[in-house]
Amino acid sequence: MELAPGSLPPAFHVMVKPRGAVCNLGCSYCFYLRKESIYEGASGFRMTDDVLESFTRQYIEAQTIPQVSFAWQGGEPTLMGLDFFRRAVELQEKYRPAHMRITNSLQTNGILLDEEWAKFLKEHGFLIGLSMDGPRDLHDANRVDKGGHGTFDRVHAALKLLQKQGVEHNILCVVNRANSDHGSRVYRFFRDEGVEFIQFIAAVERLPDGSVTDWTPRPEKWGQFLCDVFDEWVRRDVGRVFVQHFDVALEAWLGMEPSLCVYAKTCGNAMALEHNGDLYSCDHLVDAEHFLGNLMQTPLETLVASPFQRTFGTDKQDTLPEYCRQCDVLFACNGACPKDRFLKTPDGQPGLNYLCAGFKKFYHHVDPYMRVMASLLQQQRAPAEIMAMVAEQDKANMATARRNDPCPCGSGRKYKNCCLGKEKR
């Protein structure tokens, strides 16, 4: 939905960073750690009670929907300590209208979580996003502490704690150069650990010379990673494990507007709030150009409805190159995140997404499956029925497969080294 400049959207989302960019880890691909330099020498990087209360009141008052979600990120938000979040819940209840439901989500590396944290999170219904990049070797390739030591054991312990205490959680897995060749392995690891909700995000960062960092995945590798995960998921786990990319893609195949800002036609309704009350256009664009103002001086509603922010949102669609407008999968990606649109199209137009080739590979691969699942839903049937259909197709393909062909099961291995051997046993 497009809004005129000066119009407040009926609902908007703010990522709150109560400790700014401060973190207890030193992950090599973290784009946010460097944001400390914006406030260097002028801040303690800790949200005050005044800012917390002002934001809570303004955020609730500006929403016209019956459910409001508070999202806590960083940096590392648990560095604020439990008392900060106890106060946050208290203020939410203070300003909550009787008809409104309030939810909280918190993205964390899990290092500081303990029994006391887990009990609080469970009691207040927090949804926890736990950052984890797969098995030990893939996780520890980038997710290290300040001393350069791997964090897998500590993060894995946090996952088990959340599961033990029944805290609602999902996994946020950053796809990077180290794990992008291991989609099936990464997915199976999470599934076997009992994870039911997974988000994948590509770690893309451009260098001043126009190239990308050495941990940014290649576009085709990003696409193949998603394909490998999908091939495993569609055969075993539809309706049991939920992968955000697949859910959002299915929305597109159903003719719906993708619910995730990355794939929506326009953006501008998901902003980032720094510890001192500064509001920015987007979590990925915390810089001088996208600074909207401070909610302690200017009402939050005014900042969100500002002509700059509304134009920022519509620019996502308005600045698409013609190459994208003619693409057969535009309905699914809508050019994806503007921060990654720094390539030129084959005909020389600026604005092509760095991950374009990967998105095309993925969407073309899943198209026949998405069509079937969309049809099942339209018939008020469960999308999980597709698993039996795929099994039958795999069986038929195996009957004609040659030894050196890719295995029809989608494992990526040759037929002779995969299901052919299993059949003989």
Side-chain angles (χ1 to χ4, degrees):
M1 178 177 63
E2 295 186 16
L3 296 168
S7 299
L8 186 71
F12 60 90
H13 184 69
V14 175
M15 289 185 181
V16 189
K17 299 174 179 291
R19 285 231 63 186
V22 175
C23 188
N24 51 351
L25 297 189
C27 303
S28 59
Y29 53 56
C30 183
F31 71 95
Y32 214 80
L33 285 175
R34 292 181 290 282
K35 301 301 181 182
E36 284 190 49
S37 62
I38 296 175
Y39 300 100
E40 190 172 4
S43 172
F45 292 101
R46 190 174 183 89
M47 183 173 282
T48 66
D49 191 72
D50 287 345
V51 173
L52 175 63
E53 180 159 10
S54 183
F55 166 69
T56 302
R57 176 182 56 79
Q58 293 187 56
Y59 189 53
I60 289 174
E61 290 176 352
Q63 308 286 345
T64 60
I65 54 175
Q67 178 171 312
V68 175
S69 299
F70 284 77
W72 308 95
Q73 297 211 2
E76 176 50 44
T78 59
L79 289 171
M80 291 298 294
L82 256 178
D83 284 345
F84 174 84
F85 289 97
R86 292 188 178 106
R87 176 62 173 159
V89 170
E90 177 184 300
L91 289 170
Q92 290 168 7
E93 189 58 29
K94 176 180 177 180
Y95 291 106
R96 180 184 67 85
H99 68 277
M100 181 179 287
R101 178 171 179 257
I102 289 179
T103 62
N104 285 274
S105 62
L106 187 149
Q107 187 65 41
T108 178
N109 56 43
I111 301 298
L112 296 179
L113 297 184
D114 58 17
E115 293 280 350
E116 186 179 12
W117 268 102
K119 290 177 181 177
F120 169 83
L121 298 170
K122 173 66 174 176
E123 178 184 355
H124 295 283
F126 273 61
L127 168 62
I128 300 304
L130 185 65
S131 298
M132 196 175 196
D133 289 353
R136 182 191 307 278
D137 59 317
L138 301 179
H139 176 92
D140 285 348
N142 290 286
R143 298 196 63 81
V144 297
D145 60 24
K146 298 294 187 182
H149 304 110
T151 60
F152 176 84
D153 287 338
R154 286 169 281 178
V155 178
H156 185 261
L159 173 62
K160 295 297 122 179
L161 174 65
L162 294 172
Q163 291 174 335
K164 176 184 175 183
Q165 295 293 336
V167 178
E168 188 178 0
H169 62 280
N170 60 46
I171 289 292
L172 175 60
C173 175
V174 177
V175 180
N176 56 82
R177 199 76 61 88
N179 63 6
S180 59
D181 283 325
H182 305 281
S184 298
R185 183 178 167 218
V186 169
Y187 174 74
R188 289 169 183 162
F189 168 77
F190 289 134
R191 181 190 62 203
D192 294 346
E193 288 291 333
V195 174
E196 297 178 351
F197 297 88
I198 310 171
Q199 301 177 57
F200 294 110
I201 182 171
V204 177
E205 185 163 351
R206 188 186 188 190
L207 295 172
D209 64 1
S211 63
V212 295
T213 59
D214 59 6
W215 38 256
T216 295
R218 301 301 185 197
E220 296 80 3
K221 296 287 188 180
W222 162 245
Q224 190 60 54
F225 180 96
L226 293 177
C227 290
D228 291 345
V229 173
F230 184 86
D231 286 344
E232 180 77 16
W233 174 82
V234 80
R235 286 168 170 79
R236 292 189 52 174
D237 301 314
V238 181
R240 292 193 288 266
V241 178
F242 299 87
V243 179
Q244 187 182 52
H245 274 286
F246 306 160
D247 289 346
V248 176
L250 186 54
E251 290 174 345
W253 261 264
L254 284 165
M256 301 165 61
E257 175 80 2
S259 57
L260 191 63
C261 67
V262 173
Y263 304 115
K265 290 180 181 178
T266 61
C267 57
N269 294 334
M271 288 141 283
L273 184 75
E274 269 287 342
H275 59 292
N276 65 343
D278 284 351
L279 190 71
Y280 292 86
S281 293
C282 172
D283 176 46
H284 290 281
L285 297 169
V286 175
D287 53 38
E289 180 184 352
H290 296 91
F291 172 64
L292 299 176
N294 187 289
L295 60 78
M296 301 300 283
Q297 284 91 46
T298 307
L300 181 62
E301 290 189 11
T302 302
L303 299 176
V304 174
S306 67
F308 178 89
Q309 184 63 7
R310 294 303 99 209
T311 300
F312 168 80
T314 56
D315 275 352
K316 181 180 182 184
Q317 184 176 44
D318 295 343
T319 61
L320 274 174
E322 189 62 27
Y323 179 81
C324 293
R325 296 180 189 277
Q326 300 301 320
C327 180
D328 61 343
V329 294
L330 176 63
F331 73 99
C333 83
N334 287 301
C337 188
K339 84 172 182 68
D340 296 331
R341 293 183 186 176
F342 52 80
L343 297 185
K344 288 186 177 180
T345 65
D347 57 0
Q349 282 188 298
L352 182 67
N353 196 291
Y354 170 80
L355 295 170
C356 174
F359 284 127
K360 280 189 174 182
K361 182 182 185 72
F362 170 65
Y363 289 131
H364 288 151
H365 179 75
V366 303
D367 175 67
Y369 304 94
M370 289 295 171
R371 290 177 184 271
V372 171
M373 288 190 286
S375 176
L376 288 169
L377 280 170
Q378 289 162 346
Q379 299 172 57
Q380 298 186 332
R381 295 165 62 186
E385 291 184 35
I386 195 174
M387 290 188 289
M389 301 177 192
V390 173
E392 284 298 312
Q393 185 61 54
D394 285 347
K395 185 177 180 181
N397 291 341
M398 285 176 189
T400 59
R402 298 178 179 179
R403 290 175 56 83
N404 289 316
D405 287 345
C407 190
C409 78
S411 68
R413 292 179 288 172
K414 290 183 179 181
Y415 180 43
K416 67 181 180 182
N417 297 324
C418 191
C419 289
L420 177 61
K422 296 176 184 175
E423 289 171 359
K424 289 182 177 179
R425 290 197 296 272

